[in-house]
Amino acid sequence: DKYPKKYQTTSSLRDRCKAAMFTLLYGGGANKVALTTGLSIKMADKLMNDILQKFPGLRQMFSWLRNLALQNGYAENAFGRRRPLLGINSTDEKIQSDAIRQGLNTPIQGTAADVTLTAARKLNKYLENNKLKAHLCQEVHDSLVEESHVDCLEDVMVNCKKIMEAVKIPGG
């Protein structure tokens, strides 16, 4: 094995940590982590706290995004697209917490969506300009699915990767 024993982990643990990290990044809490990982709520809460302790910048970022959402009444992604947070000033705790979760989620997931859409536009233009026998079929989360004739498959694969990796995030 290329890693020392103390750094090795099981795929099950890795999958649970990955699910917890994405749930955190998308504004979810311990209940959601427990639901997606099969952990108890107590263990899910511990896992999330461990992640936040290991990556203290996350807690600062979440606090900053929460304050921005409360102050502005909207969330904004890196491309400047805004999402109104309709329940942000609600006296109903559940409605306000849903709006705050959207305020944490939008800058991350909205930026990822805009990166993917920008890459799709650029890839489509590349395919058309080069008259390649290929086309975009669909977008799945942060992935693009293309169909390609075997004659241009390698070209499409190589350039799709280059195009997607070259998308610049404003201010990034």
Side-chain angles (χ1 to χ4, degrees):
D1 293 326
K2 70 179 192 177
Y3 297 107
K5 195 77 163 160
K6 73 177 187 175
Y7 295 115
Q8 292 178 17
T9 183
T10 65
S11 65
S12 173
L13 178 59
R14 187 173 35 256
D15 289 346
R16 286 177 169 172
C17 289
K18 185 176 175 183
M21 181 63 86
F22 277 110
T23 301
L24 262 173
L25 290 175
Y26 294 137
N31 287 341
K32 182 72 171 180
V33 171
L35 186 66
T36 58
T37 62
L39 293 171
S40 69
I41 292 175
K42 183 178 179 181
M43 286 301 296
D45 190 52
K46 180 184 179 339
L47 178 57
M48 290 180 66
N49 283 326
D50 288 351
I51 290 170
L52 290 171
Q53 197 167 10
K54 181 76 175 168
F55 302 100
L58 283 177
R59 195 180 304 272
Q60 293 167 344
M61 180 184 78
F62 293 146
S63 177
W64 180 72
L65 289 173
R66 182 182 192 282
N67 290 336
L68 274 178
L70 288 166
Q71 179 183 339
N72 297 331
Y74 63 84
E76 189 171 1
N77 75 8
F79 288 82
R81 192 160 45 96
R82 291 182 179 179
R83 177 183 187 175
L85 303 171
L86 302 179
I88 198 75
N89 295 315
S90 177
T91 56
D92 183 317
E93 199 174 305
K94 182 181 178 349
I95 291 173
Q96 187 184 45
S97 68
D98 283 347
I100 288 171
R101 183 191 52 72
Q102 292 170 5
L104 300 179
N105 175 297
T106 296
I108 298 164
Q109 200 164 4
T111 299
D114 283 359
V115 165
T116 304
L117 291 172
T118 301
R121 265 194 328 274
K122 290 180 178 199
L123 179 61
N124 198 46
K125 188 174 185 173
Y126 174 81
L127 297 174
E128 287 176 4
N129 288 347
N130 291 282
K131 297 181 178 18
L132 296 173
K133 295 178 189 171
H135 64 275
L136 287 170
C137 297
Q138 69 186 78
E139 172 197 345
V140 180
H141 301 293
D142 60 353
S143 300
L144 299 175
V145 179
E146 308 91 28
E147 283 187 352
S148 175
H149 190 276
V150 69
D151 294 345
C152 59
L153 182 60
E154 181 134 356
D155 183 354
V156 171
M157 286 175 22
V158 167
N159 285 293
C160 179
K161 183 177 188 303
K162 283 181 185 175
I163 288 166
M164 289 189 78
E165 290 176 346
V167 173
K168 301 283 187 242
I169 297 173

